[in-house]
Amino acid sequence: MNIGSAARATDLPAKTIRYYEEIGLVCPARAENGYRDYSGSDVHRLKFVQRARSLGFSIEECRLLLSLYDDEQRASADVKALALEKIGQIDRKLVELQSLRATLTRLADTCQGNDRPDCPIINDLARA
Amino acid sequence: MNIGSAARATDLPAKTIRYYEEIGLVCPARAENGYRDYSGSDVHRLKFVQRARSLGFSIEECRLLLSLYDDEQRASADVKALALEKIGQIDRKLVELQSLRATLTRLADTCQGNDRPDCPIINDLARA
DNA sequence: ATTAATCCTTCCAGCCGCAGGAAGGTCAAG
DNA sequence: CTTGACCTTCCTGCGGCTGGAAGGATTAAT
């Protein structure tokens, strides 16, 4: 299967798939003409990566997840630990964003938002 | 004021301050020896940018905020619109992260997390 | 058989917002 | 006079791609 078909099958851009090969994440065979030749297993792994990425895992985490996937002997605890760590990262990000949101909302609420120049938001930025 | 002092005064790395000059955000005068020479106003603008950045505004948004800050005639509505748009961005990101969190939590909850290989998380990634 | 369209290849550059480091000039203290 | 702190410019790299150029391969239609 050429890269274009693999792209359609995985819903990933061909550029991304080439990049995944470049970094050694999913490496297809090559046809005689030099074209990349993706097997069913390759496509499967690409989909695996695509789903892991969409869940917020980094490329390196995807690499680890793939190796855990390949390792029939791994403990489910290892995978769960990775998921829990990712949840922790998300939680920290959520707290940060909620705090930002609160600050911005407070500032925006005190701003009249009319055509006059007086603006508490700018004032706050200029003199905190 | 040399860049080191400006860095201490603004709590920004000197590297960052040089970068801000490179992109035309805060451009200091130069002393005879070629050293950057930050005025009180420059330091003030650096602090302004630092606070705007910490609130989640991009560099380009900071540039806009600075120009709004400089413009004594601007309407507070212009500033407020920018803040509200940023809040909207944060909200979209929050929704996304909360959805990711829910999915990951659901997966982690169904995983025993023991030393056995059977793992619903990996299974989900491998066959969604 | 020729052409045109589509696919594929490699390579190079750019995005954001810096950070790290090399090579060298400048300045203040002892 | 030396040491060390500070400053300068320039180049590279991070993550995770994306866009584009230049050129070879394949396929479909004429």
Side-chain angles (χ1 to χ4, degrees):
Chain A
M1 181 187 278
N2 284 347
I3 198 171
S5 310
R8 280 183 292 276
T10 59
D11 209 30
L12 284 170
K15 282 273 186 187
T16 298
I17 298 180
R18 279 193 203 98
Y19 174 69
Y20 288 168
E21 181 189 10
E22 188 187 330
I23 63 173
L25 202 57
V26 178
C27 299
R30 293 285 179 144
E32 290 194 1
N33 56 10
Y35 286 15
R36 289 169 182 81
D37 185 14
Y38 288 88
S39 70
S41 162
D42 291 330
V43 169
H44 193 69
R45 295 169 74 81
L46 285 173
K47 281 186 185 166
F48 182 102
V49 170
Q50 194 257 337
R51 286 192 282 263
R53 292 285 296 132
S54 77
L55 285 177
F57 289 100
S58 73
I59 292 283
E60 285 316 305
E61 286 164 340
C62 289
R63 197 189 300 277
L64 180 50
L65 283 168
L66 273 178
S67 77
L68 290 172
Y69 175 56
D70 290 339
D71 181 3
E72 304 280 332
Q73 306 299 324
R74 98 264 143 179
S76 68
D78 294 343
V79 184
K80 185 165 185 173
L82 203 52
L84 291 179
E85 198 199 336
K86 184 55 61 181
I87 291 172
Q89 288 175 21
I90 292 175
D91 283 343
R92 286 190 291 280
K93 191 71 186 173
L94 282 171
V95 166
E96 185 193 336
L97 285 179
Q98 277 153 1
S99 164
L100 287 182
R101 206 207 116 94
T103 302
L104 280 173
T105 303
R106 181 174 50 73
L107 284 175
D109 281 351
T110 58
C111 176
Q112 303 276 358
N114 55 23
D115 54 1
R116 306 251 310 288
D118 180 50
C119 176
I121 303 172
I122 285 281
N123 289 348
D124 185 90
L125 288 173
R127 279 236 151 262
Chain B
M1 183 186 279
N2 283 347
I3 197 172
S5 311
R8 281 183 291 275
T10 59
D11 209 32
L12 284 170
K15 282 274 186 185
T16 299
I17 299 180
R18 279 193 203 97
Y19 174 68
Y20 288 169
E21 181 190 9
E22 187 187 330
I23 62 171
L25 202 56
V26 178
C27 299
R30 292 288 178 140
E32 292 193 359
N33 57 11
Y35 286 15
R36 288 169 181 81
D37 184 15
Y38 288 88
S39 70
S41 163
D42 291 330
V43 170
H44 193 70
R45 295 169 74 82
L46 285 173
K47 281 186 186 166
F48 182 101
V49 170
Q50 193 258 335
R51 286 192 282 264
R53 292 285 296 134
S54 77
L55 285 178
F57 289 100
S58 74
I59 293 283
E60 285 316 305
E61 286 164 340
C62 288
R63 196 190 300 276
L64 181 50
L65 283 168
L66 273 178
S67 76
L68 289 173
Y69 175 54
D70 290 340
D71 181 3
E72 304 281 332
Q73 307 299 324
R74 97 262 144 181
S76 68
D78 294 344
V79 184
K80 186 166 184 172
L82 204 50
L84 291 179
E85 197 198 336
K86 183 54 62 179
I87 291 172
Q89 287 176 21
I90 292 175
D91 283 344
R92 286 191 290 281
K93 191 70 186 175
L94 282 172
V95 166
E96 186 192 337
L97 286 179
Q98 277 154 2
S99 164
L100 287 183
R101 206 208 116 92
T103 302
L104 281 173
T105 303
R106 181 173 50 73
L107 284 175
D109 281 351
T110 58
C111 176
Q112 304 276 358
N114 55 21
D115 54 1
R116 307 250 311 289
D118 180 50
C119 177
I121 303 173
I122 286 280
N123 289 347
D124 185 272
L125 289 172
R127 279 233 152 265

